[in-house]
Amino acid sequence: MYEAFIDLDELIARCRDKQAKQFIKEAVACYKAGAYRSCIVATWNAVVFDFLHKLRELKLLEDKEALNLLDQFEKLSSEKKVKELWQFESDIPKKSLKPFELISIVEMSDIERLFEDRSRCAHPSMTSLEEPFEATAELARYHLR
């Protein structure tokens, strides 16, 4: 069960994967500095690396679906297939739910929202040039949590 309010530094300590932990640490630093767009982007990166870490753990248990997905990611990455890698990333919420059941349906919705906000933060073309997307402290903290 989740606590009502958690210290951001505690989030760093709870992160198991070394790479994901680095991104969460960066996201917290961005948040504390008021760089909320950067915080959201770093939080998304932490989710991606956490997902890959969990796939590696499942691979050790000889999960064929995890092995196939890791092989797919490594192939796309080595071939620098940017569009396909973007699609891989955008599928992480759904893949985390099914077939792996790493998250709940509610958490899937939250992670999909994080991906949308990450895109709005990282790609200026996703919003109006007259009114660029402004991430708020509350939104950044919500995604960090």
Side-chain angles (χ1 to χ4, degrees):
M1 178 164 233
Y2 294 111
E3 302 91 77
F5 199 78
I6 187 169
D7 181 70
L8 294 178
D9 292 322
E10 177 67 20
L11 291 175
I12 297 167
R14 289 184 181 190
C15 193
R16 293 184 358 216
D17 177 58
K18 185 174 80 171
Q19 290 173 315
K21 183 179 270 193
Q22 281 303 114
F23 280 111
I24 287 295
K25 193 182 290 185
E26 181 179 322
V28 169
C30 289
Y31 178 85
K32 289 178 178 179
Y36 305 125
R37 283 189 295 257
S38 297
C39 172
I40 290 170
V41 172
T43 301
W44 174 255
N45 289 340
V47 167
V48 171
F49 280 98
D50 185 63
F51 179 70
L52 293 171
H53 173 74
K54 286 180 170 111
L55 289 180
R56 287 185 191 102
E57 288 180 336
L58 290 169
K59 177 183 169 184
L60 293 174
L61 299 171
E62 299 182 10
D63 184 300
K64 291 189 186 335
E65 186 74 30
L67 175 63
N68 290 339
L69 213 49
L70 279 171
D71 287 345
Q72 176 190 2
F73 175 79
E74 289 170 9
K75 185 174 190 287
L76 293 172
S77 187
S78 69
E79 294 174 2
K80 297 182 179 16
K81 294 193 172 183
V82 177
K83 287 182 183 178
E84 290 86 351
L85 282 166
W86 181 87
Q87 186 60 54
F88 182 94
E89 276 191 50
S90 67
D91 289 342
I92 286 175
K94 289 180 184 73
K95 297 261 190 239
S96 295
L97 180 64
K98 291 188 181 194
F100 300 110
E101 298 180 8
L102 300 171
I103 58 174
S104 70
I105 191 85
V106 172
E107 291 167 322
M108 184 185 79
S109 177
D110 291 341
I111 295 172
E112 287 174 332
R113 172 66 195 269
L114 170 59
F115 180 72
E116 290 172 22
D117 288 343
R118 170 254 172 226
S119 294
R120 291 171 33 185
C121 290
H123 303 288
S125 61
M126 298 289 290
T127 58
S128 165
L129 293 176
E130 293 78 33
E131 295 181 37
F133 177 69
E134 289 293 330
T136 63
E138 293 83 6
L139 182 64
R141 186 175 180 89
Y142 168 76
H143 286 312
L144 265 172
R145 180 65 173 97

